[in-house]
Amino acid sequence: MTVTTERAIPFFPPDLFDGDRETLLDALYEVGTDPEQKFILGRRTARFEEAIRIRLGAGEAVACSSGTSALTLVLAALDLGPGQEVIVPAFGCAPLASTVLSLGATPVFADIVPRTMTMDPEHARTLVGDRTRVLMPAHMFSVMADMPRLRALADQAGVRLVEDAALAQGGVLRGRPAGLWGDAGVYSFVQVKTFGMPGEGGVVLSEDTGLADRVRMLRNHGQDGRNRFLHHRVGHNSRFDEVMAAFQLHRLAGLEERLARRTAICSYYSEQFRDLADAGIVAPPAGGDGRFPYVYTLLCEDRDGLRDHLAAEGIDTHVYYPRILPEQPAFAPHARSDGHWPRARDAARRNISLPLYPHLTDAHVEHVAAAVRAFALGRRP
């Protein structure tokens, strides 16, 4: 084994936006010297929202300050509150639970489907009750949740479907983009997302014009965007930055190329790992409907061993969500005492993510794949 003294392949690359440095500086100067002196929710934000809406074929797109804020705004626009419940996955990021709790409602945790690590529709079905108001699945890593079944479940139960597609820009399932399956969906633009930017940002997508209008009002302290200092609702500060809007408009033209490169890397990894299940490493499928190239995540029985092996080969890795949400100190008091989430716990124990970003070279990708295979095959019984 070749031991390196420096991390040759970082998990979070420090140079994601180096090629766009001059564009970013130009946008900063342009917005800062604009006679209009409007730094949030200006004409650039409106253009950005329209570009996203047209690209996806969405009815409405409302830019806001982060993906977490986007979820909060949607739930607030649905008038979620005390005494109501939202079914969320037990495995995932904190905002799935914290946004619900911030509005006084209760998260109800559903177990996951093992390979996709997304909400199990059948377990979710058993959790629907009289107090259920919203079903809120999340797409994880690189595979969309089973949205047709979750959409059917929401319709049958008479509850709203909010789609956390924060990670999933670029995903399409049965011809419908991620974010457009629910009554509302959200994307995140934080740096490492597929359409990331050097800051925080997000967008709410919806076919429901009334819901989108309420989100617009709520993102701006409850103002309607026409009458300043007239507050119709108790709102939030979740306004989109004009510099970032100009920057994202510039980068939108290259999004498909970046997604294609990410997808090619995912496909190469999966082809290289397809025969490793007997060695304790399970990879996502190569290609297929409902895939998106955000983070490439393996399930490995000896996760710590693989992590140490890859580190010695100069390859940085990352473990997302090593503890399930209902066992987090912040959320455990709100979880059902009889809750049981064995598949979520298993994912928390076994998941490990590999480097995935557009400017990884072929040599980098081949090195990562070879190192994973060497670890697995060296320990095959």
Side-chain angles (χ1 to χ4, degrees), residues 40 64-65 69 73 218-222 235-240:
I40 52 170
C64 50
S65 63
S69 183
L73 294 175
L218 288 166
R219 74 175 172 181
N220 191 20
H221 296 297
H236 303 257
N237 179 5
S238 183
R239 300 171 295 194
F240 202 77

Side-chain angles (χ1 to χ4, degrees), residues 237-303:
N237 179 5
S238 183
R239 300 171 295 194
F240 202 77
D241 183 278
E242 283 286 281
V243 174
M244 290 294 99
F247 187 69
Q248 290 299 80
L249 280 166
H250 159 76
R251 296 189 79 243
L252 186 60
L255 178 58
E256 290 301 331
E257 182 179 356
R258 295 192 300 275
L259 289 173
R261 175 58 180 167
R262 283 175 171 265
T263 298
I265 295 170
C266 286
S267 296
Y268 181 82
Y269 281 159
S270 288
E271 289 292 342
Q272 292 295 306
F273 305 151
R274 66 193 310 173
D275 62 340
L276 300 183
D278 290 343
I281 292 178
V282 178
D289 202 20
R291 293 296 307 279
F292 60 92
Y294 167 53
V295 164
Y296 191 89
T297 301
L298 301 170
L299 292 174
C300 181
E301 285 299 328
D302 184 9
R303 178 178 65 194

Side-chain angles (χ1 to χ4, degrees), residues 50-127:
E50 183 67 1
I52 292 290
R53 188 192 67 77
I54 291 173
R55 181 182 184 276
L56 295 169
E60 302 280 351
V62 185
C64 50
S65 63
S66 70
T68 299
S69 183
L71 283 180
T72 301
L73 294 175
V74 170
L75 295 175
L78 293 174
D79 294 320
L80 187 73
Q84 298 176 334
E85 294 179 345
V86 179
I87 299 175
V88 304
F91 179 72
C93 61
L96 288 165
S98 64
T99 56
V100 176
L101 289 164
S102 71
L103 296 169
T106 301
V108 176
F109 299 102
D111 209 357
I112 62 170
V113 177
R115 195 164 187 183
T116 66
M117 292 174 274
T118 60
M119 182 188 287
D120 179 2
E122 286 308 309
H123 189 220
R125 185 185 302 278
T126 69
L127 300 174

Side-chain angles (χ1 to χ4, degrees), residues 133-375:
R133 181 74 188 283
V134 177
L135 187 65
M136 193 160 73
H139 306 309
M140 292 298 298
F141 302 134
S142 65
V143 185
M144 289 176 63
D146 191 343
M147 296 310 297
R149 291 175 65 195
L150 292 164
R151 176 75 268 179
L153 173 58
D155 292 343
Q156 292 163 7
V159 302
R160 307 304 288 267
L161 180 64
V162 174
E163 183 184 358
D164 182 353
L167 320 180
Q169 193 160 1
V172 178
L173 178 61
R174 296 190 184 179
R176 184 180 300 182
L180 300 188
W181 282 89
D183 298 285
V186 307
Y187 288 154
S188 169
F189 304 136
V190 75
Q191 295 95 324
V192 294
K193 299 298 194 297
T194 56
F195 192 33
M197 64 189 195
E200 291 270 6
V203 69
V204 173
L205 307 166
S206 184
E207 299 300 310
D208 185 335
T209 299
L211 177 61
D213 285 344
R214 292 193 295 276
V215 168
R216 286 190 183 92
M217 186 177 292
L218 288 166
R219 74 175 172 181
N220 191 20
H221 296 297
Q223 300 171 99
D224 58 20
R226 299 181 300 275
N227 302 292
R228 195 176 181 192
F229 304 128
L230 176 60
H231 304 272
H232 301 275
R233 298 183 56 154
V234 177
H236 303 257
N237 179 5
S238 183
R239 300 171 295 194
F240 202 77
D241 183 278
E242 283 286 281
V243 174
M244 290 294 99
F247 187 69
Q248 290 299 80
L249 280 166
H250 159 76
R251 296 189 79 243
L252 186 60
L255 178 58
E256 290 301 331
E257 182 179 356
R258 295 192 300 275
L259 289 173
R261 175 58 180 167
R262 283 175 171 265
T263 298
I265 295 170
C266 286
S267 296
Y268 181 82
Y269 281 159
S270 288
E271 289 292 342
Q272 292 295 306
F273 305 151
R274 66 193 310 173
D275 62 340
L276 300 183
D278 290 343
I281 292 178
V282 178
D289 202 20
R291 293 296 307 279
F292 60 92
Y294 167 53
V295 164
Y296 191 89
T297 301
L298 301 170
L299 292 174
C300 181
E301 285 299 328
D302 184 9
R303 178 178 65 194
D304 291 347
L306 176 59
R307 180 172 53 192
D308 292 346
H309 171 80
L310 294 178
E313 292 290 331
I315 301 164
D316 202 0
T317 57
H318 195 67
V319 173
Y320 285 89
Y321 320 129
R323 180 179 295 185
I324 65 174
L325 291 176
E327 293 178 354
Q328 291 282 357
F331 309 134
H334 307 279
R336 293 184 175 180
S337 59
D338 60 349
H340 190 50
W341 311 277
R343 289 166 291 178
R345 286 195 184 98
D346 187 62
R349 177 180 65 85
R350 296 170 63 201
N351 83 88
I352 182 170
S353 298
L354 306 179
L356 173 62
Y357 36 91
H359 51 292
L360 280 173
T361 67
D362 288 348
H364 286 148
V365 176
E366 290 164 5
H367 177 51
V368 172
V372 172
R373 288 188 61 81
F375 174 82

